[in-house]
Amino acid sequence: MKQEEKSIIIDAIAKDLADYPHVYITDISGFTVDTVNQLRRQCYRRNIKLKVVKNTLLKRAMEQSSVDYSEIYPALKGVSSIMLSDTGNAPAKLIKEFRVKNKKPLVKAAFIEECTYFGDDQLDYLCAIKSREELIGELVGLLQSPARNVISALQSGGGKLAGIVKTLSER
């Protein structure tokens, strides 16, 4: 491969890294073309970008990035593919579901919210990470809960108070 071709590929990978905040480095070696196509379709449905990359080109693209990916470099060995997503736990959930019928993909490393996770044993933890939207939803629910309690207490108390006043006025 010529240097110009390599630089074009590196720039494309660097652009993808800049566009997506969450990066998973996975191993999909040994997959048949049909299995890879199934995985790509599922990734596409969930807005996850899947790319098979050369480790050296990925490392150079990461070095160009403004984000410090240096902790991930040890995972760049063997056959690698990257899964890029806007949601931190979406690739982990997809991998877990896909592994019901397949032994892979294996998680080599993940970079989520400026934290690095290594190894396939982290998959359950990565699935449990809440997305930004889920956290905002929980926060809104927690903030609404005390207000609902106060309003319901006032409404129920108002009915009791009206009943007491009515009973006293009849006497």
Side-chain angles (χ1 to χ4, degrees), residues 155-171:
Q155 287 175 342
S156 66
K160 288 179 186 176
L161 187 60
I164 293 171
V165 170
K166 184 178 180 183
T167 304
L168 289 175
S169 67
E170 290 174 356
R171 285 190 186 170

Side-chain angles (χ1 to χ4, degrees), residues 3 16 20 24 40-41 50 66 81 90 95 102 149 159 163 168:
Q3 186 61 34
D16 287 338
Y20 294 95
Y24 281 69
R40 286 185 192 276
R41 274 188 229 106
L50 175 68
S66 61
S81 61
I95 290 169
N102 301 288
N149 291 341
L168 289 175

Side-chain angles (χ1 to χ4, degrees), residues 9-130:
I9 293 170
I10 290 169
D11 291 341
I13 295 171
K15 182 184 180 311
D16 287 338
L17 290 173
D19 291 344
Y20 294 95
H22 309 291
V23 180
Y24 281 69
I25 299 175
T26 60
D27 177 9
I28 60 171
S29 63
F31 274 3
T32 63
V33 173
D34 186 47
T35 309
V36 172
N37 287 337
Q38 289 174 11
L39 181 61
R40 286 185 192 276
R41 274 188 229 106
Q42 288 186 18
C43 286
Y44 180 77
R45 287 186 199 124
R46 298 179 188 203
N47 296 323
I48 300 169
K49 190 167 194 170
L50 175 68
K51 273 189 165 183
V52 178
V53 294
K54 290 186 77 164
N55 292 325
T56 55
L57 299 179
L58 177 59
K59 185 176 179 183
R60 287 184 186 166
M62 288 179 163
E63 289 170 348
Q64 286 182 3
S65 175
S66 61
V67 179
D68 182 22
Y69 291 108
S70 61
E71 292 180 18
I72 289 183
Y73 296 162
L76 298 178
K77 294 178 182 163
V79 178
S80 295
S81 61
I82 55 173
M83 297 176 107
L84 305 160
S85 175
D86 289 324
T87 308
N89 62 357
K93 288 180 179 180
L94 172 72
I95 290 169
K96 193 167 190 174
E97 288 175 21
F98 199 77
R99 285 184 21 192
V100 170
K101 295 181 182 177
N102 301 288
K103 292 182 180 179
K104 289 185 177 183
L106 299 175
V107 177
K108 291 180 171 183
F111 186 81
I112 302 169
E113 302 293 336
E114 299 184 12
C115 294
T116 307
Y117 303 90
F118 283 100
D120 198 55
D121 57 332
Q122 299 287 320
L123 185 62
D124 290 329
Y125 181 74
L126 292 169
C127 287
I129 292 175
K130 296 190 187 250

